[in-house]
Amino acid sequence: MDFKSQIATTRDQSKILLSLGLKPETADMVYHHTNSRVKSLEWELQTKPPTLRGKYWTPERIAKLESPFHKHPDGTLMTGEEIFDALWGKDVPAWSLDRLLEIMPKSITQSNRQNADFAMNSDGTFWFISYEELGYDMKHQEMNIGSFDTAICMIRWLIHNNHLNPEYLKDKP
């Protein structure tokens, strides 16, 4: 047997989700940049949400991060902002498949028609995610070899068609 299970979006897949407007705080994992000189150890997948500015890390708390242990190459002390950026600034949010499925609506309400219900299956080669009326009338379907790629394509469609809960999306400027 040759299992190659993916447990979270790759950094590239995560960047696609962020570019679509998904809020980083919806992620349930994070790729933490370790500053390792060894290329294969440069990024570490951590099973915790990303550390972000906001509710907990307010500007006041970040300012208190000043420490004699964090210095610039010339020996001057870093500010709290610089320390925050050095510790978490390069981190990339990551989503498990479970989290991506939680984000997608279980059904799409339609006017003068039955709801289109979420369905996901595989034929052994491809993964299919669809929204179907009464189990057979297809409203929309995405298909891809990888389950994560299929989920990302469906999230793209949901966003472009205003079916994704807006609380999962960044406010548009």
Side-chain angles (χ1 to χ4, degrees), residues 55-158:
K55 291 179 185 174
Y56 182 79
W57 284 106
T58 62
E60 295 78 24
R61 281 186 189 264
I62 291 172
K64 291 179 184 177
L65 282 175
E66 293 183 36
S67 162
F69 304 109
H70 291 89
K71 298 179 181 180
H72 293 286
D74 66 2
T76 59
L77 292 177
M78 293 176 133
T79 66
E81 283 288 331
E82 291 170 321
I83 293 170
F84 186 92
D85 287 340
L87 294 174
W88 300 294
K90 293 181 181 177
D91 287 359
V92 177
W95 288 262
S96 66
L97 186 58
D98 261 4
R99 181 55 56 95
L100 293 177
L101 296 176
E102 283 176 28
I103 288 170
M104 289 185 237
K106 301 308 167 243
S107 66
I108 296 173
T109 305
Q110 304 183 95
S111 56
N112 301 324
R113 299 194 69 153
Q114 294 285 328
N115 287 351
D117 296 322
F118 175 89
M120 181 175 183
N121 55 49
S122 175
D123 64 2
T125 302
F126 292 97
W127 283 93
F128 302 88
I129 296 179
S130 57
Y131 283 91
E132 307 167 355
E133 290 177 41
L134 304 170
Y136 62 87
D137 189 11
M138 198 74 58
K139 177 173 179 67
H140 185 76
Q141 182 177 64
E142 292 291 343
M143 173 190 82
N144 211 306
I145 290 176
S147 56
F148 280 88
D149 289 328
T150 309
I152 292 166
C153 288
M154 182 56 80
I155 288 172
R156 176 183 287 120
W157 180 83
L158 290 166

Side-chain angles (χ1 to χ4, degrees), residues 7-9 29-32 43-47 94:
I7 63 168
T9 53
M29 297 186 200
V30 65
Y31 283 102
H32 179 67
W43 293 94
E44 173 186 61
L45 181 62
Q46 297 180 347
T47 55

